[in-house]
Structures are given as structure tokens and as C-alpha cells.
Amino acid sequence: MKPLITMKPGSSGSKAKYWIEEHAKYVATTTHDPEILPLVIERGEGVWIYDVDGNKYLDFTSSISVCNFGYPTHPEIKKAIIEQLDRIAHAAGTDFYNPYQVMLAKKLASISPGDFPKKVFFSNSGTEANEAAVKLVRQATGRKFIIAFYGGFHGRTMGSLALTASKSVHKKGVFPWMPGVIHVPYPNPYRNPWHIDGYENPGELVNRVLEFIEEYVFDKLIPPEEVAAVISEPIQGEGGYVVPPRVFFTELKKLIDKYGVLFIDDEVQMGIGRTGKLFAIEHFNVAPEVITLAKALGGGAIPIGATIFRSELDFKQPGIHSNTFGGHALACIAALKTIEVAESLLHRVVELEKIFIEKLSPLREKYEKVGDVRGIGLAWGVEFVVDKKSKRPDPTTRNKVVKTALENGLVLLPCGKSSVRLIPPLIITEEEVKIGLEIFEKSIREVSS
Ligand SMILES: Cc1ncc(COP(=O)(O)O)c(C=O)c1O
């Protein structure tokens, strides 16, 4: 294969170096790490990204599961957006009516799991979609508490931040956040408090989590009739691309249904086709009362968030919750077309999953530092450990792999403490998947030697 990289990214004298330095001077500190990912993007084409120095990279990040339909965006989504721009973009969707948000709400209600009437609250991001979910379940039930999972990520604004428990740095120096959240262990098959091998014994792992909720929350901490909802990602994203046992959500739902506790399914990172279904929770056969979406819903072109919920939970009077950009006409049209495009790609995701299974599974046997490989569809995580026996997380090796992959022309993003995610756009070809996975293994090999 011809090398993709002509100049080492971020190397001295390059344009990348200039922009990284200027960025540090003028743009707020967020999550960049120029040591690992000194990537300054100028443009994208399909599944390929070009940096300011003209280097070409294969993208296995979809820009954090947003650009699921390629760069700059899918041609059909682009066309729909341009046509809508000639009609109207912003139409004060929470004060005036517009047909576009009604069309999108109807579509989301019809495609989401659950055979019951639904409504939708529109916003601009994942964290806002979750903030709306929290307000919704509290005012609908009159209950105050929310159960969330260790390893879960739901955003960084003060309500969602309280739900998030994937990295303590998110909470550094900013207390107090929203009160009323209780965290419980997640059924991570590879790494859980009971040291159960959840791949060998999924039922046992799930039982332990449910017993924990019953005994340590409902019995000892907060009566279940004061718990409004449980929130979970169907597959933990920021926490490491962790797939729970397939029986987990049906069993969880059985338990919480007994007490009238609602289930909020955070599909912000996994939704809109990433796992081969429009909603990742469809792999688990449950119908959540509330589902949140954002990221890919805008086709990688327009920001939009959505909170889909059972109609009977709706806000009891105007003014309890609203915003400026909700129901943005342009965003709604982009999302409608995005859903259509995503539906047409689902079968491809299922096909491409086979290549991931075939190429990634052997890595666990081949490399001492590859502790776990897990995923569904085009949502894969690989966890690096110091050694297989101790299972101690090895962020240093992980970071070296991400950096080496970038130098080899493949863009990856870290997740969890020592994992990487492999999440290419859904339009990727078989050939491109193979190129990416080859570079990934080559990078592990280089770091291992
Ligand atoms: C599962 C999940 N929920 C919520 C969020 C927050 O979304 P946003 O960054 O758009 O606020 C994220 C972001 O990564 C996420 O992965």
C-alpha cells in the first residue's frame, strides 16, 4: 500500500504546528492532546480527511460518531440542506409552528422502539437532550432521583454532568452539579467489581448488577418509589465502547417496571445506524420510555439533539422547558434526510461487522497488551492492558497506538482509560475497512516491538 502520509503531522515547520500553537493561545482548553493527536483538519472527502499540510488520513472516528455518512456530508443530505436554505433555516420552532419539526417528530416517533404514542423535544446537542430527559421524568413522575451507571457518559452541563461517571476529571473543580443521582456498577463483561467473566457468565454478571440496585439502592439508600428513572447508554461509548450482555436491558427493565421507574436510553453516540440498527437498544429488545439522540442525527452537517418520549410524560404546561434553536427548520430537514440515508446503509453495517470480527478478534490472542476486543456493527473498542493476567489498564500503550496509527495514516480516538474506538463512517467500503484494520494492527505491532 502506498504510504498516505507525506509529512509527519505536527512536525516542526509544518502548518499544523502553527495552528496548534495559535489554537492554544485563542481557543479554550477542551479535550485536545497535541502529543497524541496533532491533527489539524482542513477538509474531508468520503471517509478520508486531509490536514492543513496536505496529508491524507483514513478516518475511523466519524468525528466522534457525528459524520456517520462521510465528509463533508452525504450528497443527499447536502442537497436537502441547500434546498431548505432557500425556504427558511431558523423559524423560532418553540414559539412559532413549522411543518419541518412536526415531520421529523412523527418520523422519530414511528422509527423508535415502543408501540405507544410518542412526542419529541428538540435541542442542539447530546447534553441538552439529556437535560431535557431529566426534567421530563422528574416533572412527570414527581420523583427526584435518577440512577446512572459507572462508566457512563451523558454530557458535561451541570445536569448531565451529574449523570456522567466515565472520568473524574469531568467534575474537577466544578462542584456542585445537579443533586439526586446515584451511580451503580455497569455490567462490563471484561472489567467489573465482582471479577466475573461476563463473556462466559453473562447471566451471573447481570444478576449481580440487578441485586446491587435492589439491595444497595432500593433497600438501603433510596426507596424505589422516589426514583424517577434509570439512564444508560445501550453500549458505553466514552467509557470504552463496552457492550453489556444481551440480556441486560430486558432484565433491568423487568426490575424497574415493578416500581414504576422509567428507562432513559442515551443513544447520542450509538444511535442512527452505528450498530447496524437505527437505535442500538434494538439489539436488546426493550422499549425505553425516553430516548435521547444528537451527534449523527444532523448528518454531520447541522447540530441537533432530540428527546423522544412517551406522550403521557409531556411537560405539563408551556414554559417548563424550551429553548431558542429547538425545532430549527434546517436541522429538522437535515435529520429527516439523514434518517433515510441511515436506513439505506444498515445492511452494509451488518456486512462490514463481519470484517471487524474476523480481523480484530485474533488481536487478543496475538498481542499480550490487547486485553479485550468488543463491538457491534461499526462500533468497536479495543482495550490495552499491561498484561493479560493482571488486566491493569495501559493508557501509555493505548496513546502510543493512537499516535502511531495517525503517523501511519489512520485516525483513531481514545475512549475509556486505556481503549481505542474504531468507528468509521457507515459509507466506508470493504476495501477501506481492510486498509484501516491493517494500519491498526501494524501500529500495534510497531508499538509492541
Ligand atoms: C452517550 C453520550 N451522551 C451524551 C453526550 C453529550 O453530547 P454533546 O457533546 O453533544 O453534548 C455524548 C458525547 O459524547 C455521548 O457520547
PDB file of all heavy atoms in Angstrom, residues 356-378:
ATOM      1  N   PHE A 356     -14.772  -6.768  10.749  1.00  0.00           N
ATOM      2  CA  PHE A 356     -14.251  -6.352  12.059  1.00  0.00           C
ATOM      3  C   PHE A 356     -14.051  -7.569  12.958  1.00  0.00           C
ATOM      4  O   PHE A 356     -13.020  -7.714  13.612  1.00  0.00           O
ATOM      5  CB  PHE A 356     -15.200  -5.335  12.718  1.00  0.00           C
ATOM      6  CG  PHE A 356     -14.910  -3.925  12.284  1.00  0.00           C
ATOM      7  CD1 PHE A 356     -15.359  -3.456  11.063  1.00  0.00           C
ATOM      8  CD2 PHE A 356     -14.151  -3.082  13.074  1.00  0.00           C
ATOM      9  CE1 PHE A 356     -15.063  -2.167  10.642  1.00  0.00           C
ATOM     10  CE2 PHE A 356     -13.854  -1.793  12.672  1.00  0.00           C
ATOM     11  CZ  PHE A 356     -14.311  -1.327  11.445  1.00  0.00           C
ATOM     12  N   ILE A 357     -15.040  -8.451  12.984  1.00  0.00           N
ATOM     13  CA  ILE A 357     -14.933  -9.643  13.841  1.00  0.00           C
ATOM     14  C   ILE A 357     -13.724 -10.477  13.391  1.00  0.00           C
ATOM     15  O   ILE A 357     -12.880 -10.868  14.201  1.00  0.00           O
ATOM     16  CB  ILE A 357     -16.235 -10.488  13.792  1.00  0.00           C
ATOM     17  CG1 ILE A 357     -17.384  -9.687  14.399  1.00  0.00           C
ATOM     18  CG2 ILE A 357     -16.057 -11.822  14.508  1.00  0.00           C
ATOM     19  CD1 ILE A 357     -18.758 -10.314  14.257  1.00  0.00           C
ATOM     20  N   GLU A 358     -13.631 -10.655  12.075  1.00  0.00           N
ATOM     21  CA  GLU A 358     -12.560 -11.514  11.534  1.00  0.00           C
ATOM     22  C   GLU A 358     -11.167 -10.932  11.811  1.00  0.00           C
ATOM     23  O   GLU A 358     -10.254 -11.659  12.193  1.00  0.00           O
ATOM     24  CB  GLU A 358     -12.792 -11.648  10.026  1.00  0.00           C
ATOM     25  CG  GLU A 358     -11.835 -12.577   9.326  1.00  0.00           C
ATOM     26  CD  GLU A 358     -11.844 -12.326   7.822  1.00  0.00           C
ATOM     27  OE1 GLU A 358     -12.927 -12.077   7.257  1.00  0.00           O
ATOM     28  OE2 GLU A 358     -10.735 -12.339   7.237  1.00  0.00           O
ATOM     29  N   LYS A 359     -11.030  -9.625  11.648  1.00  0.00           N
ATOM     30  CA  LYS A 359      -9.686  -9.019  11.760  1.00  0.00           C
ATOM     31  C   LYS A 359      -9.320  -8.614  13.195  1.00  0.00           C
ATOM     32  O   LYS A 359      -8.149  -8.625  13.559  1.00  0.00           O
ATOM     33  CB  LYS A 359      -9.591  -7.760  10.877  1.00  0.00           C
ATOM     34  CG  LYS A 359      -9.862  -8.004   9.414  1.00  0.00           C
ATOM     35  CD  LYS A 359      -8.602  -8.442   8.705  1.00  0.00           C
ATOM     36  CE  LYS A 359      -8.892  -8.665   7.233  1.00  0.00           C
ATOM     37  NZ  LYS A 359      -7.922  -9.538   6.586  1.00  0.00           N
ATOM     38  N   LEU A 360     -10.333  -8.232  13.972  1.00  0.00           N
ATOM     39  CA  LEU A 360      -9.996  -7.739  15.319  1.00  0.00           C
ATOM     40  C   LEU A 360      -9.906  -8.853  16.368  1.00  0.00           C
ATOM     41  O   LEU A 360      -9.061  -8.799  17.261  1.00  0.00           O
ATOM     42  CB  LEU A 360     -11.020  -6.699  15.792  1.00  0.00           C
ATOM     43  CG  LEU A 360     -10.976  -5.314  15.151  1.00  0.00           C
ATOM     44  CD1 LEU A 360     -12.002  -4.397  15.818  1.00  0.00           C
ATOM     45  CD2 LEU A 360      -9.593  -4.671  15.246  1.00  0.00           C
ATOM     46  N   SER A 361     -10.781  -9.869  16.247  1.00  0.00           N
ATOM     47  CA  SER A 361     -10.802 -10.904  17.299  1.00  0.00           C
ATOM     48  C   SER A 361      -9.434 -11.547  17.534  1.00  0.00           C
ATOM     49  O   SER A 361      -9.033 -11.727  18.693  1.00  0.00           O
ATOM     50  CB  SER A 361     -11.835 -11.983  16.975  1.00  0.00           C
ATOM     51  OG  SER A 361     -13.064 -11.378  16.755  1.00  0.00           O
ATOM     52  N   PRO A 362      -8.670 -11.891  16.470  1.00  0.00           N
ATOM     53  CA  PRO A 362      -7.375 -12.556  16.714  1.00  0.00           C
ATOM     54  C   PRO A 362      -6.356 -11.685  17.452  1.00  0.00           C
ATOM     55  O   PRO A 362      -5.386 -12.207  17.987  1.00  0.00           O
ATOM     56  CB  PRO A 362      -6.854 -12.865  15.297  1.00  0.00           C
ATOM     57  CG  PRO A 362      -8.013 -12.718  14.384  1.00  0.00           C
ATOM     58  CD  PRO A 362      -8.956 -11.761  15.032  1.00  0.00           C
ATOM     59  N   LEU A 363      -6.571 -10.370  17.489  1.00  0.00           N
ATOM     60  CA  LEU A 363      -5.576  -9.489  18.128  1.00  0.00           C
ATOM     61  C   LEU A 363      -5.391  -9.829  19.605  1.00  0.00           C
ATOM     62  O   LEU A 363      -4.313  -9.701  20.164  1.00  0.00           O
ATOM     63  CB  LEU A 363      -5.978  -8.012  17.993  1.00  0.00           C
ATOM     64  CG  LEU A 363      -6.150  -7.464  16.576  1.00  0.00           C
ATOM     65  CD1 LEU A 363      -6.425  -5.970  16.619  1.00  0.00           C
ATOM     66  CD2 LEU A 363      -4.917  -7.753  15.719  1.00  0.00           C
ATOM     67  N   ARG A 364      -6.481 -10.295  20.207  1.00  0.00           N
ATOM     68  CA  ARG A 364      -6.449 -10.642  21.631  1.00  0.00           C
ATOM     69  C   ARG A 364      -5.448 -11.779  21.886  1.00  0.00           C
ATOM     70  O   ARG A 364      -4.734 -11.782  22.864  1.00  0.00           O
ATOM     71  CB  ARG A 364      -7.846 -11.067  22.070  1.00  0.00           C
ATOM     72  CG  ARG A 364      -8.171 -10.686  23.470  1.00  0.00           C
ATOM     73  CD  ARG A 364      -9.563 -11.067  23.870  1.00  0.00           C
ATOM     74  NE  ARG A 364     -10.402 -11.475  22.732  1.00  0.00           N
ATOM     75  CZ  ARG A 364     -11.690 -11.234  22.642  1.00  0.00           C
ATOM     76  NH1 ARG A 364     -12.291 -10.552  23.570  1.00  0.00           N
ATOM     77  NH2 ARG A 364     -12.406 -11.662  21.615  1.00  0.00           N
ATOM     78  N   GLU A 365      -5.432 -12.733  20.974  1.00  0.00           N
ATOM     79  CA  GLU A 365      -4.507 -13.870  21.131  1.00  0.00           C
ATOM     80  C   GLU A 365      -3.086 -13.466  20.757  1.00  0.00           C
ATOM     81  O   GLU A 365      -2.118 -13.909  21.354  1.00  0.00           O
ATOM     82  CB  GLU A 365      -4.930 -15.044  20.217  1.00  0.00           C
ATOM     83  CG  GLU A 365      -6.366 -15.487  20.379  1.00  0.00           C
ATOM     84  CD  GLU A 365      -6.732 -15.747  21.820  1.00  0.00           C
ATOM     85  OE1 GLU A 365      -5.901 -16.317  22.551  1.00  0.00           O
ATOM     86  OE2 GLU A 365      -7.840 -15.328  22.246  1.00  0.00           O
ATOM     87  N   LYS A 366      -2.985 -12.581  19.729  1.00  0.00           N
ATOM     88  CA  LYS A 366      -1.663 -12.282  19.153  1.00  0.00           C
ATOM     89  C   LYS A 366      -0.825 -11.332  19.998  1.00  0.00           C
ATOM     90  O   LYS A 366       0.391 -11.386  19.963  1.00  0.00           O
ATOM     91  CB  LYS A 366      -1.853 -11.640  17.771  1.00  0.00           C
ATOM     92  CG  LYS A 366      -1.908 -12.647  16.635  1.00  0.00           C
ATOM     93  CD  LYS A 366      -2.372 -11.987  15.390  1.00  0.00           C
ATOM     94  CE  LYS A 366      -1.362 -11.814  14.322  1.00  0.00           C
ATOM     95  NZ  LYS A 366      -2.034 -11.318  13.078  1.00  0.00           N
ATOM     96  N   TYR A 367      -1.486 -10.423  20.716  1.00  0.00           N
ATOM     97  CA  TYR A 367      -0.713  -9.380  21.405  1.00  0.00           C
ATOM     98  C   TYR A 367      -1.019  -9.389  22.904  1.00  0.00           C
ATOM     99  O   TYR A 367      -2.189  -9.287  23.296  1.00  0.00           O
ATOM    100  CB  TYR A 367      -1.028  -7.994  20.817  1.00  0.00           C
ATOM    101  CG  TYR A 367      -0.681  -7.921  19.350  1.00  0.00           C
ATOM    102  CD1 TYR A 367      -1.654  -8.152  18.377  1.00  0.00           C
ATOM    103  CD2 TYR A 367       0.625  -7.668  18.931  1.00  0.00           C
ATOM    104  CE1 TYR A 367      -1.341  -8.122  17.027  1.00  0.00           C
ATOM    105  CE2 TYR A 367       0.948  -7.638  17.587  1.00  0.00           C
ATOM    106  CZ  TYR A 367      -0.030  -7.865  16.640  1.00  0.00           C
ATOM    107  OH  TYR A 367       0.292  -7.855  15.310  1.00  0.00           O
ATOM    108  N   GLU A 368       0.009  -9.486  23.705  1.00  0.00           N
ATOM    109  CA  GLU A 368      -0.132  -9.538  25.161  1.00  0.00           C
ATOM    110  C   GLU A 368      -0.877  -8.309  25.696  1.00  0.00           C
ATOM    111  O   GLU A 368      -1.604  -8.369  26.671  1.00  0.00           O
ATOM    112  CB  GLU A 368       1.278  -9.643  25.789  1.00  0.00           C
ATOM    113  CG  GLU A 368       1.336  -9.681  27.301  1.00  0.00           C
ATOM    114  CD  GLU A 368       0.645 -10.894  27.919  1.00  0.00           C
ATOM    115  OE1 GLU A 368       0.315 -11.850  27.174  1.00  0.00           O
ATOM    116  OE2 GLU A 368       0.399 -10.870  29.146  1.00  0.00           O
ATOM    117  N   LYS A 369      -0.670  -7.183  25.005  1.00  0.00           N
ATOM    118  CA  LYS A 369      -1.237  -5.936  25.522  1.00  0.00           C
ATOM    119  C   LYS A 369      -2.678  -5.674  25.081  1.00  0.00           C
ATOM    120  O   LYS A 369      -3.288  -4.701  25.511  1.00  0.00           O
ATOM    121  CB  LYS A 369      -0.337  -4.762  25.146  1.00  0.00           C
ATOM    122  CG  LYS A 369       0.923  -4.759  26.012  1.00  0.00           C
ATOM    123  CD  LYS A 369       1.743  -3.527  25.848  1.00  0.00           C
ATOM    124  CE  LYS A 369       2.877  -3.485  26.836  1.00  0.00           C
ATOM    125  NZ  LYS A 369       2.437  -3.180  28.200  1.00  0.00           N
ATOM    126  N   VAL A 370      -3.195  -6.515  24.215  1.00  0.00           N
ATOM    127  CA  VAL A 370      -4.606  -6.355  23.840  1.00  0.00           C
ATOM    128  C   VAL A 370      -5.434  -7.198  24.818  1.00  0.00           C
ATOM    129  O   VAL A 370      -5.432  -8.425  24.766  1.00  0.00           O
ATOM    130  CB  VAL A 370      -4.856  -6.784  22.376  1.00  0.00           C
ATOM    131  CG1 VAL A 370      -6.341  -6.755  22.055  1.00  0.00           C
ATOM    132  CG2 VAL A 370      -4.087  -5.868  21.430  1.00  0.00           C
ATOM    133  N   GLY A 371      -6.120  -6.518  25.725  1.00  0.00           N
ATOM    134  CA  GLY A 371      -6.865  -7.228  26.764  1.00  0.00           C
ATOM    135  C   GLY A 371      -8.245  -7.636  26.296  1.00  0.00           C
ATOM    136  O   GLY A 371      -8.707  -8.741  26.539  1.00  0.00           O
ATOM    137  N   ASP A 372      -8.919  -6.719  25.611  1.00  0.00           N
ATOM    138  CA  ASP A 372     -10.308  -7.011  25.231  1.00  0.00           C
ATOM    139  C   ASP A 372     -10.623  -6.383  23.880  1.00  0.00           C
ATOM    140  O   ASP A 372     -10.120  -5.306  23.544  1.00  0.00           O
ATOM    141  CB  ASP A 372     -11.260  -6.450  26.306  1.00  0.00           C
ATOM    142  CG  ASP A 372     -12.662  -7.020  26.185  1.00  0.00           C
ATOM    143  OD1 ASP A 372     -12.813  -8.134  25.639  1.00  0.00           O
ATOM    144  OD2 ASP A 372     -13.621  -6.356  26.640  1.00  0.00           O
ATOM    145  N   VAL A 373     -11.455  -7.085  23.134  1.00  0.00           N
ATOM    146  CA  VAL A 373     -11.962  -6.589  21.841  1.00  0.00           C
ATOM    147  C   VAL A 373     -13.470  -6.763  21.884  1.00  0.00           C
ATOM    148  O   VAL A 373     -13.954  -7.853  22.201  1.00  0.00           O
ATOM    149  CB  VAL A 373     -11.384  -7.427  20.671  1.00  0.00           C
ATOM    150  CG1 VAL A 373     -12.012  -7.018  19.355  1.00  0.00           C
ATOM    151  CG2 VAL A 373      -9.865  -7.305  20.593  1.00  0.00           C
ATOM    152  N   ARG A 374     -14.225  -5.701  21.622  1.00  0.00           N
ATOM    153  CA  ARG A 374     -15.685  -5.817  21.741  1.00  0.00           C
ATOM    154  C   ARG A 374     -16.357  -4.868  20.764  1.00  0.00           C
ATOM    155  O   ARG A 374     -15.781  -3.821  20.424  1.00  0.00           O
ATOM    156  CB  ARG A 374     -16.115  -5.496  23.168  1.00  0.00           C
ATOM    157  CG  ARG A 374     -15.710  -4.103  23.619  1.00  0.00           C
ATOM    158  CD  ARG A 374     -15.039  -4.097  24.947  1.00  0.00           C
ATOM    159  NE  ARG A 374     -14.499  -2.786  25.274  1.00  0.00           N
ATOM    160  CZ  ARG A 374     -13.672  -2.562  26.286  1.00  0.00           C
ATOM    161  NH1 ARG A 374     -13.274  -3.539  27.061  1.00  0.00           N
ATOM    162  NH2 ARG A 374     -13.226  -1.361  26.533  1.00  0.00           N
ATOM    163  N   GLY A 375     -17.549  -5.216  20.353  1.00  0.00           N
ATOM    164  CA  GLY A 375     -18.253  -4.296  19.464  1.00  0.00           C
ATOM    165  C   GLY A 375     -19.450  -4.918  18.788  1.00  0.00           C
ATOM    166  O   GLY A 375     -19.696  -6.123  18.875  1.00  0.00           O
ATOM    167  N   ILE A 376     -20.198  -4.052  18.137  1.00  0.00           N
ATOM    168  CA  ILE A 376     -21.330  -4.450  17.303  1.00  0.00           C
ATOM    169  C   ILE A 376     -21.297  -3.525  16.091  1.00  0.00           C
ATOM    170  O   ILE A 376     -21.010  -2.332  16.229  1.00  0.00           O
ATOM    171  CB  ILE A 376     -22.704  -4.243  18.008  1.00  0.00           C
ATOM    172  CG1 ILE A 376     -22.783  -4.981  19.345  1.00  0.00           C
ATOM    173  CG2 ILE A 376     -23.839  -4.685  17.105  1.00  0.00           C
ATOM    174  CD1 ILE A 376     -24.150  -4.881  20.043  1.00  0.00           C
ATOM    175  N   GLY A 377     -21.635  -4.042  14.923  1.00  0.00           N
ATOM    176  CA  GLY A 377     -21.743  -3.209  13.724  1.00  0.00           C
ATOM    177  C   GLY A 377     -20.447  -2.484  13.447  1.00  0.00           C
ATOM    178  O   GLY A 377     -19.384  -3.090  13.301  1.00  0.00           O
ATOM    179  N   LEU A 378     -20.503  -1.154  13.401  1.00  0.00           N
ATOM    180  CA  LEU A 378     -19.295  -0.351  13.188  1.00  0.00           C
ATOM    181  C   LEU A 378     -18.973   0.441  14.462  1.00  0.00           C
ATOM    182  O   LEU A 378     -18.586   1.609  14.395  1.00  0.00           O
ATOM    183  CB  LEU A 378     -19.472   0.574  11.988  1.00  0.00           C
ATOM    184  CG  LEU A 378     -19.508  -0.140  10.633  1.00  0.00           C
ATOM    185  CD1 LEU A 378     -19.746   0.836   9.491  1.00  0.00           C
ATOM    186  CD2 LEU A 378     -18.233  -0.943  10.382  1.00  0.00           C
TER     187      LEU A 378
END
